[in-house]
Amino acid sequence: MPRLTDSTNGAGPSMKWLFTSRRFIIWYLILPLTDRSDFFPRTLFRRAKMGGANLEIFKFGLYIMFPIGWMYYFGTNLENRFSVPDFWPAPETTHRIPHDREDLLIELERMKARRLKLRAERLEMEAQQKRKEESAG
């Protein structure tokens, strides 16, 4: 790019640089010779018209009422609109945590009996598989 201080006295840009720059050539030498309707449509320079006061009042009302309507729709009648019947189990069928010593001992006995029952079933299955393997092999 040419230096801006190419003039003889070094005070500013030279006229040679100004007339050889691409922007100058395009905007001041080529474009005046062409039909500029392709480059500058008339609608580009027209001022856009506003919608008027009625449009502004409508937009303001919409901006205010939309969130209020949204909150009203989702905030009223929640029990019937967004509930799934029988989603939560009944309190009688849920597991109750024991709080007393006697309740804890009963729960431990129940868990021990269940564990022993599952162990016996597992041992019986293993014995059956072993018998099948011996008879087959």
Side-chain angles (χ1 to χ4, degrees), residues 98 101-115:
R101 181 170 172 76
E102 297 81 23
D103 293 339
L104 284 171
L105 291 175
I106 293 170
E107 186 66 23
L108 283 174
E109 288 297 323
R110 185 190 68 78
M111 291 170 63
K112 184 178 180 181
R114 181 174 180 263
R115 182 174 47 86

Side-chain angles (χ1 to χ4, degrees), residues 88-96:
W88 299 108
E92 299 83 31
T93 60
T94 59
H95 180 70
R96 287 186 228 120

Side-chain angles (χ1 to χ4, degrees), residues 1 18 21 34 41 49 51 56 69 74 92 101 104 111 119 122 124 134:
M1 183 169 168
L18 181 65
S21 69
T34 62
K49 293 183 180 180
E56 296 299 321
F74 286 105
E92 299 83 31
R101 181 170 172 76
L104 284 171
M111 291 170 63
R119 182 176 183 266
R122 188 185 77 235
E124 186 179 331
E134 289 175 0

Side-chain angles (χ1 to χ4, degrees), residues 36-74:
R36 286 190 241 170
S37 62
D38 297 336
F39 296 99
F40 306 110
R42 289 185 177 201
T43 57
L44 183 68
F45 295 108
R46 288 188 190 155
R47 184 173 179 191
K49 293 183 180 180
M50 297 293 289
N54 289 337
L55 177 64
E56 296 299 321
I57 291 170
F58 172 75
K59 288 191 324 187
F60 177 74
L62 186 68
Y63 295 155
I64 296 297
M65 292 307 293
F66 183 77
I68 293 172
W70 189 269
M71 288 186 289
Y72 179 76
Y73 175 75
F74 286 105

